[in-house]
Amino acid sequence: MADTDNSIRQAFIEDPPNVLKAKPSEGAKRFRRCRSTPSDPTDQPIDQKPSEHTSALKSKELFKDIRPSFRLVGLLLFVYLLVGVIIFYLFMDQISGKRTNRVLDALYFVIVTMTSVGYGDLVPNSNTTKLLACAFVFTGMAIIALFISKAADYIVEKQEVLFFKALHMNMKGGEAKILRAMETNRIKYKFYTVALLMATAVVSGTLFLWKVEKLSLVDSFYCVCATITTLGYGDKSFSSKLGRVFAIFWIIMSTILMAQFFLYLAELYTEQRQKMLAKWVLKRRITTMDLEAADLDGDRKVGAAEFVLYKLKELGKISQEEISSFLEEFNRLDVDQSGTLSTYDLTLAQTS
Amino acid sequence: MADTDNSIRQAFIEDPPNVLKAKPSEGAKRFRRCRSTPSDPTDQPIDQKPSEHTSALKSKELFKDIRPSFRLVGLLLFVYLLVGVIIFYLFMDQISGKRTNRVLDALYFVIVTMTSVGYGDLVPNSNTTKLLACAFVFTGMAIIALFISKAADYIVEKQEVLFFKALHMNMKGGEAKILRAMETNRIKYKFYTVALLMATAVVSGTLFLWKVEKLSLVDSFYCVCATITTLGYGDKSFSSKLGRVFAIFWIIMSTILMAQFFLYLAELYTEQRQKMLAKWVLKRRITTMDLEAADLDGDRKVGAAEFVLYKLKELGKISQEEISSFLEEFNRLDVDQSGTLSTYDLTLAQTS
């Protein structure tokens, strides 16, 4: 969930960058924030304005190369479809079923295959096309999965902002307040957004099949359900030229929305569980045993940071292995063995 | 990933509980571990032996009720299949296609529908059965998704232990060492295990279709690929009585394995990325600005816990919001405002 913390913030580019971090209910007077570290440097959009923090910048540049961006996934999808159309255009004679236009049918077949809908209204009938279909369904599914995990989330987030803005048009306090409300319920709003988009897809698909493909209303709805779940019995499908043009866009969009819907549902559930656990961890009575266990440096006192670390570990957010590796690093840097790091330690550690 | 830390450890019930935590390369002498807090109390198997730590016990009991256990998901699947068989047995006259045995066909139809394979060899041909199929594909997919996220992971883990044990039969140092090796590469081994299981499913399915259903070898492989990806064109499917008995078990197993395969692939990728980031965060030169930002309590010194918190935040593992909520709690408990918690603070805070 921390993975997407920054993206919404980026959608409102005109907003001051730290408006979300200023929570009015703070209360703790003597605690300051770790200001120069971003929440998650890996997940900032590539085309973001350069910030003044060098550490954030460096890690952003590092991950520009590894993380498949929205554009890369889009390009991959385009290349896949292009190769698919060329291959199945050439082998169209070894595919049997209802035909319309040769190029259109090739594209329709590739999309029905890659989304694993598989109506069966166009079926490979030679060994070559059968094995080609096998290769295309596996690679296509991988691309769809990549698309779901990367690009679709980004698109839904953009839609979500619009959706939320429309919903809270009259809300006082401006965008900062809207953003804060969204931030606390991010997954819930993503879920609402995707549910709304899916309802649109179901209605538009049903109307199209009813009006253009001349199916009955029940058959239209049945074909829509069979498609978005990738069930694809194939007794009802898109058989006209216009129908297949519509299907090309509609199938890819609706199946991805459906997968995204389930993904957010799972995330929503996980978040609820995590919130309940956090509540319990916060409420739990602290015992002397806890104090002893939380005392990381063995000085018989539990400082603020030690307490937070102990609680985060109890919450299951971090593991002992992670703490250990950073403790080792701390130990290495703390040259004078004072138990605290100072500028003096840094000078000593980094010159030697 | 922290979500599954404890489960493997539980599989070897004869092992001492803390063997995994004792890493020999520790190095830091004056740091002790937070001993009484488990890594993640929510994800311990339900039938685990009670540990001596009360906090772990309490949270385990709390989450026994919320978390859908392996048994619950199994029961849900059973009820779903039972209801499905009864309904489609009664409505079998409104389903057209190749028939064998009425009960068997009903079960076969439910499974082909719930996994979204949808061959189309049995198709609903009345409005009632069409709408019933729609209802069954949505609920079935939700159950399959639940099964993938909860139960399948547990099963793969059990298999993984056997697989790993067989692989490292001659490894010296006993189980503790094996466990440690597995712990560091958990997802990689899960991925290998699921890949091995999937290969078994592909080979057994192909052989069955070839020998029993008398398809050609290419057609058998083609039908297997079309099934495990839930493509299900339907030009080749299980049409004999024996074939459908096999299909009932094989389809549900192989489609889940396929989904799990993609899931682990994604996790593996995420883990690699996370490791690279961790390496970079560890290696990065600490500056005076970092020290200032890491100084949580503003005492102009950076203690061990403060350093670890700062690094974890840089890693994107924790957010400022989480730190803030626990700092508030710390502040509330620290009644004498000394900046550290003591038994005295606890007594004051919890009696008032």
Side-chain angles (χ1 to χ4, degrees), chain A residues 68-289:
Chain A
S69 72
F70 178 66
R71 244 172 264 171
L72 192 70
V73 176
L75 189 72
L76 207 66
L77 182 68
F78 178 77
V79 171
Y80 172 88
L81 289 177
L82 190 71
V83 172
V85 169
I86 292 170
I87 287 180
F88 288 107
Y89 177 83
L90 295 174
F91 285 98
M92 196 41 93
D93 300 324
Q94 297 173 35
I95 289 177
S96 54
K98 172 97 181 66
R99 297 286 184 76
T100 59
N101 171 290
R102 203 176 165 111
V103 178
L104 184 61
D105 288 350
L107 184 57
Y108 175 74
F109 179 74
V110 171
I111 283 175
V112 167
T113 301
M114 88 176 295
T115 55
S116 92
V117 169
Y119 289 128
D121 51 354
L122 288 176
V123 216
N125 63 6
S126 76
N127 283 351
T128 318
T129 44
K130 277 173 188 172
L131 293 177
L132 275 172
C134 290
F136 267 84
V137 67
F138 279 107
T139 46
M141 276 180 82
I143 291 174
I144 291 278
L146 205 63
F147 201 87
I148 288 165
S149 66
K150 301 286 163 194
D153 194 62
Y154 181 72
I155 294 168
V156 169
E157 253 166 22
K158 289 233 154 192
Q159 292 291 322
E160 183 198 6
V161 175
L162 294 175
F163 172 57
F164 199 94
K165 267 186 170 175
L167 210 70
H168 294 257
M169 203 85 113
N170 315 323
M171 199 169 163
K172 274 156 203 148
E175 283 180 353
K177 203 175 166 188
I178 295 178
L179 271 179
R180 223 172 294 132
M182 279 183 75
E183 201 67 15
T184 39
N185 288 302
R186 348 198 348 80
I187 299 168
K188 205 186 262 174
Y189 282 104
K190 275 188 186 182
F191 179 73
Y192 290 158
T193 309
V194 90
L196 197 78
L197 289 174
M198 223 176 72
T200 314
V202 169
V203 170
S204 65
T206 307
L207 285 179
F208 185 91
L209 284 163
W210 184 38
K211 288 290 176 195
V212 181
E213 291 275 324
K214 307 287 179 207
L215 298 181
S216 81
L217 207 54
V218 171
D219 279 352
S220 303
F221 179 71
Y222 163 73
C223 180
V224 163
C225 289
T227 306
I228 61 174
T229 58
T230 80
L231 179 58
Y233 288 131
D235 51 342
K236 305 283 173 227
S237 61
F238 297 86
S239 50
S240 72
K241 209 167 179 174
L242 185 60
R244 290 199 174 167
V245 172
F246 176 80
I248 286 165
F249 299 99
W250 185 79
I251 290 175
I252 208 159
M253 204 192 67
S254 60
T255 51
I256 285 177
L257 278 175
M258 179 76 196
Q260 206 73 26
F261 179 82
F262 272 110
L263 203 71
Y264 288 145
L265 197 65
E267 268 184 34
L268 203 61
Y269 169 78
T270 310
E271 198 197 44
Q272 294 294 331
R273 217 185 70 184
Q274 197 67 25
K275 269 186 186 163
M276 280 195 69
L277 180 60
K279 217 171 166 183
W280 180 83
V281 166
L282 256 177
K283 264 190 178 170
R284 194 172 65 83
R285 224 168 209 276
I286 308 288
T287 64
T288 321
M289 256 179 68

Side-chain angles (χ1 to χ4, degrees), chain A residues 33-34 37 39 68 113 116 123 130 219 230 233 235 269 285 302 310 313-314 316-317 320 322 341 350, chain B residues 33-34 37 39 68 113 116 123 130 219 230 233 235 269 285 302 310 313 316-317 320 322 341 350:
Chain A
R33 290 140 177 300
C34 307
T37 310
S39 273
T113 301
S116 92
V123 216
K130 277 173 188 172
D219 279 352
T230 80
Y233 288 131
D235 51 342
Y269 169 78
R285 224 168 209 276
V302 174
Y310 181 72
K313 210 184 149 206
E314 196 174 359
K317 286 290 281 188
Q320 184 58 51
E322 285 166 313
L341 282 188
Q350 290 174 346
Chain B
R33 287 136 179 304
C34 308
T37 309
S39 274
T113 301
S116 91
V123 217
K130 277 172 188 171
D219 279 352
T230 80
Y233 287 131
D235 51 340
Y269 168 78
R285 224 170 209 277
V302 173
Y310 182 71
K313 210 186 147 204
K317 287 289 282 188
Q320 183 60 51
E322 285 166 314
L341 283 187
Q350 290 173 346

Side-chain angles (χ1 to χ4, degrees), chain B residues 133-301:
Chain B
C134 290
F136 267 83
V137 67
F138 279 107
T139 46
M141 276 181 82
I143 291 173
I144 290 277
L146 206 61
F147 201 87
I148 288 165
S149 66
K150 302 284 163 195
D153 194 62
Y154 182 71
I155 295 169
V156 169
E157 253 165 25
K158 289 233 155 193
Q159 293 290 323
E160 182 197 9
V161 175
L162 296 174
F163 172 57
F164 199 92
K165 266 187 171 174
L167 210 71
H168 294 257
M169 202 87 110
N170 315 323
M171 200 170 164
K172 274 157 203 148
E175 281 181 351
K177 201 176 166 187
I178 294 179
L179 270 181
R180 223 171 296 134
M182 277 183 75
E183 202 67 14
T184 39
N185 288 303
R186 338 198 0 77
I187 298 167
K188 207 187 259 175
Y189 282 105
K190 277 189 184 179
F191 179 73
Y192 290 157
T193 309
V194 89
L196 197 78
L197 289 174
M198 222 176 74
T200 315
V202 168
V203 170
S204 65
T206 307
L207 286 179
F208 184 91
L209 284 164
W210 184 39
K211 288 290 177 196
V212 180
E213 291 273 325
K214 307 288 180 208
L215 297 183
S216 81
L217 206 54
V218 171
D219 279 352
S220 303
F221 179 71
Y222 163 72
C223 180
V224 163
C225 289
T227 306
I228 60 174
T229 57
T230 80
L231 180 58
Y233 287 131
D235 51 340
K236 305 282 173 228
S237 61
F238 296 86
S239 51
S240 73
K241 208 169 180 171
L242 185 60
R244 290 198 174 169
V245 172
F246 176 81
I248 286 165
F249 299 99
W250 184 81
I251 289 176
I252 208 159
M253 205 193 67
S254 60
T255 51
I256 285 177
L257 278 175
M258 179 75 196
Q260 206 73 26
F261 178 82
F262 272 110
L263 204 70
Y264 288 145
L265 196 65
E267 267 185 33
L268 203 61
Y269 168 78
T270 309
E271 198 196 42
Q272 294 294 332
R273 218 185 68 182
Q274 197 68 25
K275 270 186 186 163
M276 280 194 68
L277 181 60
K279 216 171 165 184
W280 181 83
V281 166
L282 257 177
K283 264 190 177 170
R284 194 174 67 83
R285 224 170 209 277
I286 309 287
T287 64
T288 320
M289 254 178 72
D290 288 315
L291 279 192
E292 203 189 301
D295 181 18
L296 201 70
D297 54 8
D299 63 354
R300 314 224 131 258
K301 285 181 292 185

Side-chain angles (χ1 to χ4, degrees), chain A residues 284-300:
Chain A
R284 194 172 65 83
R285 224 168 209 276
I286 308 288
T287 64
T288 321
M289 256 179 68
D290 287 316
L291 278 192
E292 204 189 301
D295 182 17
L296 200 71
D297 53 9
D299 63 355
R300 315 221 131 262

